[in-house]
Amino acid sequence: MTTLAIIGAGIAGRSLIYALAKSKKNFSKIIVFDSDQFTQACSFRSTAIVAPRGVSSGHSDLGDLILKGLETFQSHIKNDHPNGVFNITQYTGAVSKLEMFKKRYPDGEGVTQLGSIILKNEIYVAQESAYLIDPKLYLNWLKDQSHKLPVEWKNAFVTSIKKNQDLTEIKTSSNETVLVDQLVVTGGAYNRFWQPRTFGKPIQGSYFEFHDVDLGAESFSLTLEGDNIVYHAHTKIMLMGSTTLDLGHVLPERQELDRVYERLAQKLETSLPSLKTGQVITGLREKAAKRRPYLYRDNNIFWLGGLYKNGFSLSLHLAQDLVGQL
Ligand SMILES: Cc1cc2nc3c(=O)[nH]c(=O)nc-3n(C[C@H](O)[C@H](O)[C@H](O)COP(=O)(O)OP(=O)(O)OC[C@H]3O[C@@H](n4cnc5c(N)ncnc54)[C@H](O)[C@@H]3O)c2cc1C
């Protein structure tokens, strides 16, 4: 039996562990390296909605992949009932270019109110079934599913990986050396420091988190011309954002976030929580060429990443594909 290592325990790494737990693959040992010593997981800093967003098949490779990912995710939720994933409605609203918008969202219906949030009359709102994810709950649930596997979770930062005869040698910042047969790298935006192929760049995303907000509504996600309000009814937390900035660091551009707040406030009849009470959360995601996620093999090392804005809908689909190749 062979040994496997995984670098990174965000949604990609944990979906892989979950897919392995569901598969018939046997490893004598699986070691997961994950550390926030120099990096941080984007998956815990994500608005984490899975919705089709008007994507239809047959128009682009990426659109088709997103739809396949969505199908995989839907059947996972239906069959496995994971903790931290909630069925919600995604409301998407537009004021301008309505003709184009209605082509993308043909099944739209007008909505004017979501709990205490009242939308201005001129906004056309479409609805779709979607999933809201509480990253902490869902990521912990995925981790718990590995209890039957011979997994060792190492809180260690990997500083080098290299070929050593038929094996891969992994070194950590505490000078530990581990040799494994196979390695999968799911280090998110930090894959770029290792990859043999140059693919993507890190893109910063940030949003406000408002606590103790009671909207008197079920959980929902509302997108108004690119700006989002996500309401977690189970924790009474409202997320608002998010920005998309071509920056390789996590220091947020506060002005950009304030503009999101202003734009949303202008589209509502009701007032939003005070800006002063919003905590800023920032994540780094990896945008690969043509926004397309990648999964490829280089000798005994697999690379999975470039999940960009679709990490939660695509990870399991790609992980299942990867397990088939191990
Ligand atoms: C503001 C924002 C909103 C978003 N909204 C959505 C959304 O609505 N829906 C959606 O599907 N996606 C969304 N995304 C995207 C999604 O969050 C990401 O695609 C996803 O989290 C990426 O997951 P990952 O596992 O690839 O990377 P990460 O979650 O970043 O995990 C990588 C892990 O690897 C670790 N690591 C890296 N290098 C090393 C090393 N050398 N040694 C040890 N550990 C290492 C890191 O510390 C981290 O823990 C959003 C992202 C942001 C920032």
Side-chain angles (χ1 to χ4, degrees):
M1 278 207 284
T2 53
T3 50
L4 171 73
I6 299 169
I7 301 177
I11 183 65
R14 292 182 197 221
S15 298
L16 176 58
I17 280 288
Y18 177 70
L20 282 167
K22 285 271 182 178
S23 79
K24 293 196 168 65
K25 293 272 155 140
N26 280 321
F27 289 93
S28 55
K29 190 162 199 175
I30 301 171
I31 307 171
V32 181
F33 294 90
D34 187 71
S35 159
D36 57 5
Q37 191 178 4
F38 305 110
T39 58
Q40 41 171 247
C42 182
S43 303
F44 289 100
R45 295 163 175 82
S46 173
T47 48
I49 296 293
V50 171
R53 296 190 188 273
V55 174
S56 51
S57 61
H59 297 294
S60 71
D61 270 8
L62 179 62
D64 290 350
L65 180 67
I66 288 174
L67 290 177
K68 277 190 199 145
L70 192 64
E71 274 172 29
T72 306
F73 193 75
Q74 274 166 340
S75 68
H76 161 52
I77 303 311
K78 205 170 137 207
N79 298 327
D80 308 325
H81 310 289
N83 199 15
V85 181
F86 304 89
N87 287 293
I88 59 154
T89 301
Q90 163 70 45
Y91 300 94
T92 307
V95 185
S96 56
K97 298 182 185 156
L98 280 186
E99 216 169 291
M100 240 164 64
F101 182 80
K102 286 179 185 174
K103 267 190 199 153
R104 185 167 178 159
Y105 293 96
D107 303 325
E109 274 173 45
V111 168
T112 52
Q113 188 162 0
L114 296 166
S116 53
I117 296 263
I118 301 171
L119 299 152
K120 289 207 167 145
N121 274 339
E122 65 269 25
I123 303 176
Y124 175 86
V125 181
Q127 300 181 43
E128 305 168 294
S129 293
Y131 301 99
L132 172 143
I133 295 160
D134 182 322
K136 270 191 207 134
L137 296 179
Y138 181 52
L139 287 161
N140 283 339
W141 183 88
L142 287 172
K143 185 176 176 182
D144 288 348
Q145 304 309 303
S146 68
H147 63 272
K148 284 191 192 141
L149 297 174
V151 182
E152 185 185 350
W153 297 83
K154 267 188 192 290
N155 182 5
F157 195 82
V158 174
T159 49
S160 89
I161 46 179
K162 67 175 185 196
K163 208 169 153 17
N164 183 333
Q165 295 176 348
D166 287 342
L167 301 173
T168 298
E169 182 188 282
I170 297 167
K171 276 194 193 309
T172 70
S173 60
S174 50
N175 275 332
E176 188 185 4
T177 303
V178 176
L179 285 166
V180 289
D181 296 293
Q182 291 188 304
L183 168 65
V184 181
V185 189
T186 56
Y190 306 97
N191 275 2
R192 70 189 191 278
F193 295 127
W194 308 100
Q195 291 211 65
R197 303 185 193 173
T198 40
F199 270 115
K201 51 182 179 180
I203 301 286
Q204 189 199 90
S206 58
Y207 57 92
F208 286 119
E209 207 172 87
F210 297 95
H211 289 240
D212 302 319
V213 179
D214 190 352
L215 294 182
E218 291 181 357
S219 294
F220 66 82
S221 169
L222 168 68
T223 304
L224 295 176
E225 304 204 307
D227 299 323
N228 304 295
I229 292 177
V230 177
Y231 182 55
H232 289 217
H234 66 293
T235 49
K236 304 266 182 288
I237 291 177
M238 181 201 265
L239 315 181
M240 192 185 297
S242 52
T243 62
T244 299
L245 297 168
D246 192 349
L247 297 171
H249 57 76
V250 290
L251 185 69
E253 291 276 334
R254 176 65 200 234
Q255 283 178 344
E256 193 63 32
L257 262 182
D258 289 354
R259 280 194 279 272
V260 171
Y261 181 96
E262 288 308 325
R263 283 197 298 266
L264 282 167
Q266 280 165 15
K267 295 187 179 87
L268 304 177
E269 295 287 0
T270 34
S271 52
L272 289 168
S274 157
L275 248 185
K276 285 187 202 140
T277 59
Q279 290 176 25
V280 179
I281 313 286
T282 310
L284 266 196
R285 48 207 173 183
E286 187 190 26
K287 182 180 178 190
K290 297 186 180 166
R291 300 178 56 163
R292 211 181 189 293
Y294 54 83
L295 166 57
Y296 69 93
R297 179 183 196 150
D298 185 56
N299 292 309
N300 290 345
I301 306 180
F302 289 87
W303 298 86
L304 195 171
L307 296 164
Y308 195 36
K309 296 189 173 186
N310 302 297
F312 285 84
S313 50
L314 286 178
S315 284
L316 186 57
H317 187 70
L318 293 171
Q320 288 176 349
D321 186 348
L322 204 166
V323 168
Q325 299 181 45
L326 285 171

